Amino acid sequence: MRRGREGGGQVSDVSSPLRMGTRRSLMATTQSGLVADRLTALTGRPVELVGVTTFGDVSKANLTQLGGTGVFVSALRDKLIEGEIDFAVHSLKDLPTTQDPRVTIAAIPPRDDPRDALVGTAKLADLPPGARIGTGSPRRIAQLRLLRPDLEYVPIRGNAETRIGKVTSGELHGVVLAAAGLGRLGRESEISQIFEVEEMLPAPGQGALAVECRSDRADLIEFLGVLDDAATRAAVTAERAVLAALEAGCAAPVGAYSAHQGEQLILTAAVVAVDGSRAVRKSTAGDPSASANLGRDLASEMIAEGAGTLIGEQAH
């Protein structure tokens, strides 16, 4: 990976590489590389990766202490606005739900596995009481406590390799990570259990990537659109609309998952108390073309049943 040149290349200049910004972690560069290869295969345009270090990468604080939303995103957006990169690739679940008018999600490629996975030597049900499970996500902790309230859930930070290392060293009995990320890293063989969405709802947008560029680059927005998958965009739009309407950040104990069933979009969301004692879980169905409204309406129903109170308790 090397730094891009100063100034932005025009889309019409097919000989010069487009500069894609990415976080520097192995996970980020791997998934960004997949997007770059796909764009080149579809358009013939070369792409070079530009590594960017974000605040979330260097801070040692837990994600909840950092505020969660945007800590892996702002530095990449700064590079976009400054013209040092042409576009950026993010894990969609890291993006704030509040739109920044300076940037546009030009494409959401087809989604990988949205589910959560346990890396360890046994399935969750087979672990002994008191077993230590690592995760930095209040959403995962809350839902795990619904399944196994007798286990100890340990907040952890670090990249996937660091977290998995805590299992191989014996420090933890298991860690929970996104199945999509493990697949991109080629580490599926270390998964002891995939949690079905009925057991553990994923984070809104989990498994999906966002390709973002400046809003004033109409030519680039159109060019990057070849990567967009309409079905994935509709599904994740519904999920993120729930999160936005609940006024909850990506570190809140909110899970949501939407999938196409025939001509309808089925959306399920849940807010779970971090101690696992209470949950508000609801589902709805509607037209994929109105996915944002579907999410907002479901969130309103959840708020009426006390979801906002559960989020407020976690925040304090």
Side-chain angles (χ1 to χ4, degrees), residues 57-137:
D57 294 318
V58 297
S59 174
K60 301 300 182 183
N62 289 330
L63 192 59
T64 50
Q65 294 173 310
L66 296 175
T69 305
V71 298
F72 298 116
V73 174
S74 57
L76 281 164
R77 284 184 169 173
D78 288 344
K79 297 295 184 185
L80 263 182
I81 302 307
E82 294 162 5
E84 294 187 28
I85 57 176
D86 296 304
F87 66 104
V89 173
H90 311 277
S91 291
L92 184 61
K93 65 185 179 68
D94 292 337
L95 281 185
T97 54
T98 302
Q99 179 63 37
D100 184 331
R102 302 173 300 172
V103 297
T104 295
I105 298 176
I108 301 175
R111 187 183 211 168
D112 290 325
D113 193 334
R115 297 173 295 177
D116 290 296
L118 177 66
V119 173
T121 57
K123 294 184 177 181
L124 193 73
D126 298 329
L127 290 169
R132 291 163 52 84
I133 303 297
T135 172
S137 163

Side-chain angles (χ1 to χ4, degrees), residues 10-204:
Q10 295 299 311
V11 172
S12 58
D13 181 9
V14 296
S15 61
S16 65
L18 289 173
R19 300 156 304 160
M20 172 197 285
T22 175
R23 291 170 57 197
R24 294 180 182 274
S25 71
L26 177 60
M27 180 82 74
T29 56
T30 299
Q31 64 192 26
S32 295
L34 293 172
V35 174
D37 291 345
R38 178 65 175 160
L39 185 62
T40 300
L42 289 171
T43 67
R45 184 68 180 267
V47 177
E48 63 180 13
L49 270 58
V50 179
V52 177
T53 300
T54 71
F55 178 67
D57 294 318
V58 297
S59 174
K60 301 300 182 183
N62 289 330
L63 192 59
T64 50
Q65 294 173 310
L66 296 175
T69 305
V71 298
F72 298 116
V73 174
S74 57
L76 281 164
R77 284 184 169 173
D78 288 344
K79 297 295 184 185
L80 263 182
I81 302 307
E82 294 162 5
E84 294 187 28
I85 57 176
D86 296 304
F87 66 104
V89 173
H90 311 277
S91 291
L92 184 61
K93 65 185 179 68
D94 292 337
L95 281 185
T97 54
T98 302
Q99 179 63 37
D100 184 331
R102 302 173 300 172
V103 297
T104 295
I105 298 176
I108 301 175
R111 187 183 211 168
D112 290 325
D113 193 334
R115 297 173 295 177
D116 290 296
L118 177 66
V119 173
T121 57
K123 294 184 177 181
L124 193 73
D126 298 329
L127 290 169
R132 291 163 52 84
I133 303 297
T135 172
S137 163
R139 172 190 61 83
R140 288 174 176 149
I141 292 171
Q143 295 185 90
L144 287 165
R145 282 181 173 146
L146 286 174
L147 300 171
R148 285 294 304 269
D150 59 326
L151 303 186
E152 181 183 355
Y153 299 104
V154 182
I156 56 172
R157 283 289 313 274
N159 58 35
E161 297 81 10
T162 299
R163 298 184 191 205
I164 294 171
K166 293 181 181 294
V167 179
T168 55
S169 69
E171 181 181 342
L172 298 173
H173 292 84
V175 294
V176 181
L177 298 164
L182 291 166
R184 290 167 189 152
L185 291 175
R187 304 194 72 158
E188 301 99 325
S189 63
E190 294 166 90
I191 296 174
S192 59
Q193 180 178 353
I194 296 280
F195 294 102
E196 299 302 329
V197 294
E198 292 78 16
E199 300 174 290
M200 185 182 299
L201 279 169

